[in-house]
Amino acid sequence: MKTTVRLLTLLGVLVLVPFAMAGVYLEQVVKSDPVTVMGKTQPARETVQKIFLADDRMASENSDGMSVIVRLDQKKIYFINTQGKSYQVSDLPLKFPPEMQQMMAAFQFTTDIQKTGKTQKVGAYNCEEVVMTLKGFMNFTIRMWCTGDIRMPFDKYYAMSAEMVAYSPAIKQMMEKMRSLGNLYAVEQEMTGEVMGTKTRSVTKLVNFDANASIPADKFNPPAGFKQEALDFQKMMQRQ
């Protein structure tokens, strides 16, 4: 069970001479309720996720110590362990070794997504409510307040996402249904549900957005001085 939760966390899952490029910057705060796994309770957590998008690359920096870099130009994805000052790299589209592919085959679920017709203003954004329901191995309800006010390169974002979720038909379907809504971005969402009897709840809020950010190019490369390790998904899961 513990390995399963770690794997889902990972799924959930981006040292050149620096120079600036125009791009998109988003910052989100994720608050997760306490979780009880195998009789042990993990305390509530609050993490900050900083996302940088530019051309054919994306970086996601997480305050929990694990960050990801996606480079479509290189067909690579980098997993950065900021605390251990190391990183692992995999080819895109992302694939798991045979022993993990068998485990992933059991992670099946279906996605339903509906607009409720409700609208409200969330911060500076005009939003409409969208409810996503996942049923199967994961049973989640995700209530999102989505806006069309945010301008970002959705085509590039979904192209990168497709490379990352190619290993899972279920997650691929979820992304496709989200994309079918059009160019909407969830500025606030609440996810509740359970995985194998473990109940979870988290709330994600957008706290900063800049459509014309000046992004250092080294954001899209492993940090200078970090050591490359052999690709080992089990080792990555143990760090979660």
Side-chain angles (χ1 to χ4, degrees):
M1 177 63 190
K2 191 174 182 180
T3 300
T4 300
V5 173
R6 283 172 173 165
L7 179 57
L8 292 172
T9 301
L10 174 62
L11 300 182
V13 32
L14 264 143
V15 222
L16 300 176
V17 178
F19 65 95
M21 62 176 69
V24 173
Y25 171 72
L26 305 102
E27 184 174 332
Q28 300 180 144
V29 174
V30 183
K31 295 183 179 180
S32 302
D33 287 355
V35 176
T36 300
V37 181
M38 298 180 68
K40 294 183 179 181
T41 298
Q42 300 176 7
R45 295 196 309 166
E46 179 174 325
T47 58
V48 178
Q49 182 184 39
K50 298 179 179 180
I51 302 170
F52 304 85
L53 290 164
D55 298 324
D56 48 8
R57 58 203 67 182
M58 174 174 65
S60 175
E61 298 179 353
N62 298 279
S63 61
D64 62 3
M66 178 62 77
S67 299
V68 176
I69 296 171
V70 178
R71 293 288 300 264
L72 286 188
D73 59 326
Q74 299 177 356
K75 286 289 185 178
K76 300 288 185 183
I77 180 170
Y78 298 86
F79 301 95
I80 315 296
N81 176 9
T82 53
Q83 296 175 345
K85 294 187 176 181
S86 62
Y87 68 94
Q88 300 181 25
V89 59
S90 173
D91 292 332
L92 288 175
L94 184 61
K95 296 180 180 179
F96 289 107
E99 62 274 14
M100 290 190 67
Q101 288 180 12
Q102 294 179 0
M103 184 185 300
M104 289 300 303
F107 294 173
Q108 299 299 319
F109 58 91
T110 59
T111 300
D112 180 68
I113 191 164
Q114 299 289 336
K115 293 183 178 181
T116 67
K118 297 180 181 178
T119 61
Q120 73 175 33
K121 199 148 188 174
V122 178
Y125 305 107
N126 298 301
C127 298
E128 57 183 308
E129 187 183 42
V130 176
V131 176
M132 179 185 290
T133 305
L134 310 180
K135 293 183 179 180
F137 175 80
M138 298 189 296
N139 293 287
F140 283 107
T141 298
I142 307 171
R143 296 187 178 276
M144 300 175 284
W145 289 102
C146 299
T147 185
D149 296 345
I150 286 180
R151 304 302 178 188
M152 60 181 283
F154 284 96
D155 288 345
K156 293 179 181 179
Y157 169 76
Y158 282 112
M160 284 183 273
S161 298
E163 295 280 346
M164 296 173 65
V165 304
Y167 60 87
S168 171
I171 299 179
K172 184 179 179 181
Q173 181 199 55
M174 180 179 69
M175 294 298 298
E176 289 174 346
K177 290 202 172 184
M178 188 67 193
R179 187 175 190 177
S180 71
L181 296 174
N183 293 338
L184 295 179
Y185 187 85
V187 299
E188 183 173 325
Q189 66 181 39
E190 178 189 44
M191 182 171 69
T192 58
E194 65 177 53
V195 180
M196 296 179 66
T198 299
K199 294 183 178 180
T200 66
R201 176 183 176 272
S202 65
V203 176
T204 302
K205 294 183 179 181
L206 179 71
V207 296
N208 196 354
F209 172 74
D210 187 348
N212 296 289
S214 181
I215 303 175
D218 58 2
K219 283 291 183 188
F220 303 107
N221 293 281
F226 277 37
K227 180 181 178 181
Q228 181 175 352
E229 298 179 338
L231 183 64
D232 187 334
F233 287 106
Q234 293 287 349
K235 187 174 182 179
M236 271 192 276
M237 285 189 288
Q238 292 170 3
R239 289 175 180 153
Q240 301 305 311

